[in-house]
Every structure is written in C-alpha cells, then in structure tokens.
Amino acid sequence: MKVVIAGGSGALGQRIARDLIGRGDDVVVLSRSVTRVRWGRQVHWDGRTVGPWAAELSDAALVNLCGELVLRRPTPANIALLTRSRTEPTRALARACTGLDRPIPVLLQMSTLAIYGDAGEAVLDESAPPAHGPPQMAGVARAWEEAAAEISAARQVTLRTGIVFDRDTPAFDRLTGLVRWGLGGRMGSGRQWISWLHIDDLCAIVRHCVDDPELSGIVHATSPSPVRNSDLMATLRRTMGRAGVPTPAPLVRVGSVFMRADPLLALAGRRCVPKRLRDAGFEFTHPEWGSAVADLLK
C-alpha cells in the first residue's frame, strides 16, 4: 500500500514510517523541513497551499500528524500556534483531496485524548463527549478534528491518542529526567489518571486502522490499563532504582514556568480505555505500565 504521512519528519512520524516500510508499504513523507528524513520518500510542501505534492495523495492512505509539540506554556499566542499548526495544513490536505479523481481510500487523522479535558474519575470510551476546555487541550483538539472532517475520504478514522512513550522523545525524557534529578515523586495529588501508550502499540494500531475496512470514526489509541500519576512515577522510580520527593501542585505550576511547559500536562488527567480496539480483537504488546517501562529502559 502507498501511505502518505503529512508531518512525518518528526520522531513519531518517523517511527510510524519505519514500521510501515518494514512491512513493504511505499511511504511518502510530506515535510516542510529541508533536512532529509531517514525513513520514507520525502516530498516538500509548505503546509498551506496546494502544489505538486498533491499528486502523491492519489489512491494513497493518508496519515495526518501535522502539529507543533504541545510542550509549551498555555499563552494565547501558543494556543493560537498549536491550533494554526494543525488546522492550516489539514485544510490544505482537504483542498488537495478535492482535486483528485476519487476520494482517498482512508484517512487516519491523529488527535488526542486531551480533547476530554480534565475528566476526573470517569472511565471514558469512544462514546464520551469532548470537553469545552481548557483551550490548550480540548479547544485545540476540537479545532483539529473539525478541520479534518473537510477531507474527502472513503473511510476516516480519528485516532485519539494517549501520551505516547518512546525512547529519546520529549515526553519520556522529561519524566526520566525528573526521576534522575530526585524529583520523581507524585505530581500534585498524584490521583490524576494517565492514559498512555507504548510506541510499539501505536505503530500496530496505525497498521490495524489502515487495514481494517470496517473501522471508522473515533478510536482510542491508549493502553487498556491507565494508571494514576502516583503509580506511574513509582514504577519509574523502582525501575530506575531512584528515590523521589513529591511535587505539590503549586510547585508544579512554578516549575512549569521555568520549563516553559503547561502545568496541566502534569496535573490534569483522563481515564480512557480503547473499547473499539478491544472489541475488534486488537492485542496490545505492552498493556501494562510496568512491562512498558522495563522495555523502554532496557
């Protein structure tokens, strides 16, 4: 199969590209970067206007990963940047698809479980309604999904993902760094639920969603075993052989200023489950946090 990955030059896109190439797919990476990608045939685009790159979409599966990293302060300017970096290239893809002879066979639209905001103790499957805030979470995600609805595809899967953990990526490096610095205790109350996913399972989910002709609509890409923040950090400390002190919520907010991050990334939580994947018989390689951490740190 031919697969076009929009925004596929980042760490996540390259892992997906490598995985698809490994099974024999022809992978095209749409990228605004002049730096050559390692995995996939790179085609340049500006992410705003339709150009020669649009011909690559013909009869191809499309994976849309476009968007700036969320690890930044929730200022109005940053929220606008996060939104624009997702909606602008998505609308360019939509315009390109209107010029094709027929709809693309499948669109795999990346989204985020942050669309549910800070959901407390509720167990959320794909039937849960999106939250109305905060704007840097639910607001950005809703705008992204609405823009993707404009893309003409025979089948569309919106993949709402948990926090994807992989070696040498910002999310995992930040957590392990806190543990190494002795700050790997619970954050805030520690009771907030973390919906997470090992990179190997994300790649397998992408393959499953591209291949399964019966699957469409919202799909949760997250481990079947969400964990509380306190348990997540305790497992990291135990696996790394380190001690750690708790970080009260006020200190998380102060520290986020110096780390130029959003404190809600640590203090908010969602207890999401992958009901549709489980109903479809999908089997996770790393369903439990302990085994996932051991694999990532080995």
Side-chain angles (χ1 to χ4, degrees):
M1 177 179 288
K2 181 178 181 180
V3 182
V4 176
I5 305 179
S9 60
L12 188 61
Q14 283 293 280
R15 286 287 269 125
I16 293 172
R18 185 178 74 177
D19 182 74
L20 293 173
I21 290 170
R23 71 170 192 172
D25 287 341
D26 173 22
V27 175
V28 175
V29 173
L30 296 182
S31 172
R32 286 172 281 193
S33 174
V34 296
T35 304
R36 298 301 300 175
V37 300
R38 183 177 180 185
W39 301 100
R41 176 165 55 88
Q42 186 171 6
V43 174
H44 186 266
W45 74 328
D46 63 6
R48 297 190 305 274
T49 58
V50 177
W53 57 266
E56 299 288 351
L57 297 173
S58 182
D59 296 322
L62 172 61
V63 180
N64 183 17
L65 294 174
C66 294
E68 292 285 340
L69 290 176
V70 299
L71 296 174
R72 59 186 74 236
R73 294 286 296 162
T75 64
N78 281 339
I79 293 170
L81 172 64
L82 291 173
T83 304
R84 184 174 63 253
S85 68
R86 285 159 173 75
T87 58
E88 195 171 67
T90 299
R91 292 194 174 104
L93 291 169
R95 291 193 297 273
C97 286
T98 61
L100 301 177
D101 292 336
R102 51 188 170 273
I104 59 174
V106 58
L107 165 66
L108 184 54
Q109 171 62 40
M110 282 293 173
S111 185
T112 171
L113 294 175
I115 198 168
Y116 301 117
D118 189 4
E121 294 295 311
V123 178
L124 307 176
D125 63 18
E126 288 86 350
S127 65
H132 294 288
Q136 70 272 29
M137 290 184 172
V140 171
R142 288 169 72 108
W144 197 12
E145 291 188 8
E146 288 167 3
E150 302 173 13
I151 297 177
S152 178
R155 181 169 61 89
Q156 178 169 339
V157 178
T158 300
L159 208 57
R160 292 178 179 169
T161 64
I163 303 172
V164 179
F165 288 114
D166 190 10
R167 303 175 186 89
D168 302 319
T169 55
F172 194 63
D173 286 351
R174 183 159 292 190
L175 282 182
T176 55
L178 288 172
V179 174
R180 291 191 181 96
W181 299 333
L183 300 174
R186 69 177 185 272
M187 299 180 188
S189 71
R191 293 187 57 78
Q192 60 271 37
W193 287 96
I194 308 299
S195 295
W196 61 276
L197 186 66
H198 189 291
I199 183 63
D200 289 348
D201 284 322
L202 175 66
C203 290
I205 290 169
V206 168
R207 295 194 306 270
H208 182 89
C209 291
V210 168
D211 294 345
D212 187 347
E214 302 301 318
L215 196 59
S216 63
I218 305 297
V219 173
H220 282 182
T222 187
S223 160
S225 306
V227 294
R228 293 192 189 273
N229 173 269
S230 58
D231 295 329
L232 179 140
M233 299 307 296
T235 301
L236 267 177
R237 293 196 308 272
R238 183 169 58 252
T239 307
M240 296 175 66
R242 298 296 180 97
V245 297
T247 306
L251 287 183
V252 172
R253 294 188 177 93
V254 171
S256 69
V257 175
F258 295 98
M259 298 178 73
R260 291 180 293 181
D262 181 1
L264 288 182
L265 293 174
L267 298 177
R270 291 155 294 279
R271 190 180 184 182
C272 299
V273 293
K275 182 178 184 301
R276 297 196 65 201
L277 285 174
R278 288 190 295 184
D279 290 347
F282 181 85
E283 294 186 7
F284 288 81
T285 303
H286 303 282
E288 302 295 335
W289 176 237
S291 63
V293 169
D295 179 77
L296 292 169
L297 289 175
K298 69 182 180 181

